[in-house]
Amino acid sequence: MDIRLRAPLTKKAALELRAGDRVLLNGVIYTARDAAHARLTDVLEKGEAFPFDLQDSVIYYVGPSPARPGRVIGAAGPTTSYRMDAYAPRLIEAGLRGMIGKGMRSPQVIDSMKKYGAVYFGALGGGAALIAGSVVAAEPVCYEDLGTEAVQRLTVRDFPATVVIDAQGADLYRLGRADYLRSL
Amino acid sequence: MREISSGAVTASVCQMCAGANMVLPEDIAGRIRECREREPWPAARDTLDKLCQNMDIARREAIPLCQDTGMACVFLALGQDARIVGGDLYEAVHEGIRQGYAQGYLRRSVVADPLRRKNTGDNTPALIHTDIVPGDRLTITLSPKGFGSENMSRLAMLTPAAGAAGVKDFVVETVSLAGPNPCPPIVVGVGIGGSFDQVALLAKKALLRGLDEPHPDPYYREMELELWEKINRLGIGPQGFGGQTTALGVSIETLPTHIAGLPVAVNISCHATRRVSVVL
């Protein structure tokens, strides 16, 4: 049974999620990947104004393909998350509540998630055409010079994701694999 | 000498870009469906169903299968009795990529310099590999390669003593270390032999061979099957959430090598392993 979640995501809602839960996200999320993360953490280090409200926000690691005329967005599946590991703890400390991507996270990221109550969601890697259908609006926020790596504000309706690592640090990549191997 | 115009090269490359990114080759799509039928783990079967849905939507709505429409890997097999007229062959390929990626609404994912990292804005340059072959034709193969899987690829200079067992261990270890990162179920291209530089290219070329075309040498055909089975026993599964279908298949290519060496390279490709060819 899928859990309907609002984004931004409250700490209370985040703490209730468990690795393996399937969720449908509704509300506003922000896109950011490699180059944008470098700039966003730089903004935090310098104490400058953050380009969007980071408190309780959800960041989607994605660099979409261009939208065809008349469409909101192009293909929009997740990129591999570990490249953002160097930046994520700083953002979590500053209020980031959820991350959507695919692939493993570092122990440092997981420690920050446990400390501040944040969640890591997995979206369907390589399921970019399917996922695009759940994005109902996209507008630029900043760093448009980065092209596909610009930060965008996405309005999503029933965006499908799975809780991969919960705020207690439980990891579906370990649990799911172990469950399957035990079933043999 | 048969003449092939550079304009025809540009037009062909341009035309291939959108299709390559929206429709999977039949061997890959077919293998995903077969694996879905064979998958014993319900959650994994569900994920494979979604990948099938993704294929349908991409084809129907002309949306790329994956937002990472890749670096354009272009393999040219140029007949020695053909000559290119009207312009530079490689520039003609780049121009085809430039036009095809713009017209197809495909992502531009190339930075001009690896450290200063400014996007070139048109997905060029393509990565071009050329083989001179008999005949008077030009075969162009375009394989857009995503980097989520490319980043999980590895190379080792093993010793001859490591032998087949060492090669197999290295391949399985590479897939195990990659875990959920490269969007499993993956396609595994293995290069064995040659030299440091050649073995990596060999692994990439292995990905060009259809999964329905096993290695012609029974020794390597058996190794392909053995590795596929070993990889699927890791339990990583589709998306890394557990299951049997970690790989869609393994392809091996080999080259003669030095008495002192046993180079091996593993080029990992995601379930959206894309390739399309045209003959001019």
Side-chain angles (χ1 to χ4, degrees):
Chain A
M1 193 57 189
D2 294 347
I3 300 167
R4 276 219 159 68
L5 273 186
R6 296 295 310 173
L9 183 64
T10 63
K11 183 170 184 180
K12 181 173 176 291
L15 291 176
E16 285 169 6
L17 295 169
R18 293 291 175 270
D21 286 349
R22 299 207 324 199
V23 304
L24 296 169
L25 283 160
N26 286 271
V28 169
I29 63 178
Y30 294 89
T31 74
R33 46 171 295 158
D34 308 65
H37 270 76
R39 292 193 191 178
L40 290 172
T41 48
D42 199 43
V43 161
L44 288 177
E45 291 316 313
K46 289 180 176 154
E48 294 167 356
F50 205 78
F52 58 89
D53 186 2
L54 186 58
Q55 189 59 48
D56 291 344
S57 66
V58 176
I59 287 181
Y60 182 21
Y61 301 149
V62 59
S65 66
R68 282 183 186 276
R71 287 190 181 267
V72 171
I73 201 163
T79 195
T80 325
S81 305
Y82 74 93
R83 298 194 314 273
M84 272 53 78
D85 283 357
Y87 310 108
R90 183 70 188 88
L91 292 169
I92 292 168
E93 185 192 336
L96 177 68
R97 189 68 62 202
M99 299 158 283
I100 309 170
K102 56 139 175 140
M104 297 174 277
R105 305 310 302 264
S106 70
Q108 290 78 8
V109 174
I110 298 172
D111 284 349
S112 296
M113 290 168 57
K114 286 156 75 174
K115 184 169 175 192
Y116 296 99
V119 181
Y120 172 50
F121 300 97
L124 185 69
L130 181 70
I131 291 170
S134 61
V135 179
V136 295
E139 50 189 312
V141 174
C142 58
Y143 311 149
E144 284 173 77
D145 61 298
L146 293 178
T148 183
E149 295 201 71
V151 174
Q152 296 189 65
R153 184 180 195 270
L154 304 185
T155 306
V156 294
R157 190 160 52 210
D158 288 346
F159 179 105
T162 304
V163 178
V164 174
I165 305 175
D166 63 31
Q168 285 73 41
D171 184 343
L172 177 63
Y173 291 135
R174 288 178 206 282
L175 299 172
R177 191 173 172 184
D179 281 351
Y180 166 71
L181 290 172
R182 256 199 310 274
S183 78
L184 296 179
Chain B
M1 279 304 235
R2 182 168 166 271
E3 294 188 341
I4 298 169
S5 80
S6 61
V9 173
T10 296
S12 298
V13 170
C14 171
Q15 206 174 17
M16 286 194 280
C17 293
N21 278 292
M22 290 163 196
V23 182
L24 283 183
E26 196 38 56
D27 65 296
I28 302 285
R31 189 59 66 83
I32 292 174
R33 290 189 208 101
E34 280 167 34
C35 288
R36 191 252 168 240
E37 295 309 312
R38 285 205 300 262
E39 175 62 58
W41 193 240
R45 217 160 41 229
D46 184 61
T47 301
L48 294 171
D49 275 339
K50 289 198 178 117
L51 296 184
C52 292
Q53 279 175 38
N54 188 62
M55 285 195 273
D56 294 341
I57 295 169
R59 185 194 288 262
R60 195 173 63 232
E61 299 186 19
I63 302 176
L65 291 145
C66 178
Q67 76 291 338
D68 186 354
T69 51
M71 276 193 97
C73 297
V74 176
F75 296 83
L76 302 175
L78 178 62
Q80 63 180 11
D81 298 322
R83 62 188 283 261
I84 307 299
V85 296
D88 181 280
L89 172 59
Y90 289 174
E91 189 39 53
V93 171
H94 297 317
E95 184 57 28
I97 295 298
R98 199 172 282 131
Q99 292 178 13
Y101 270 66
Q103 291 170 19
Y105 292 88
L106 305 176
R107 198 178 80 179
R108 282 71 147 195
S109 312
V110 179
V111 292
D113 180 278
L115 293 177
R116 287 167 291 190
R117 306 197 74 81
K118 188 170 162 36
N119 197 302
T120 61
D122 60 8
N123 218 49
T124 68
L127 295 170
I128 305 175
H129 298 287
T130 310
D131 286 319
I132 304 297
V133 298
D136 61 4
R137 300 279 169 172
L138 172 65
T139 302
I140 307 172
T141 300
L142 167 65
S143 181
K145 184 66 168 74
F147 257 56
S149 56
E150 192 76 357
N151 280 337
M152 296 296 113
S153 304
R154 287 164 88 221
L155 189 154
M157 302 302 285
L158 301 180
T159 61
V167 167
K168 288 180 216 169
D169 285 350
F170 182 73
V171 174
V172 175
E173 180 188 70
T174 299
V175 174
S176 181
L177 287 171
N181 290 6
C183 290
I186 55 175
V187 180
V188 184
V190 180
I192 311 172
S195 53
F196 179 78
D197 53 317
Q198 285 201 356
V199 76
L201 178 56
L202 204 54
K204 181 153 264 111
K205 282 185 171 174
L207 294 172
L208 300 180
R209 206 170 78 222
L211 291 177
D212 49 1
E213 299 168 57
H215 199 285
D217 178 340
Y219 176 80
Y220 286 110
R221 186 157 64 230
E222 214 166 281
M223 194 180 290
E224 288 175 345
L225 286 173
E226 185 189 340
L227 282 170
W228 188 23
E229 203 186 304
K230 278 196 159 116
I231 287 166
N232 282 349
R233 276 205 299 264
L234 290 171
I236 294 167
Q239 298 290 311
F241 296 158
Q244 175 178 271
T245 314
T246 299
L248 297 172
V250 178
S251 295
I252 298 173
E253 292 289 335
T254 65
L255 274 178
T257 190
H258 190 275
I259 49 173
L262 178 52
V264 55
V266 183
N267 196 189
I268 295 187
S269 187
C270 56
H271 57 80
T273 291
R274 296 154 286 186
R275 50 175 139 72
V276 59
S277 290
V278 68
V279 181
L280 296 181

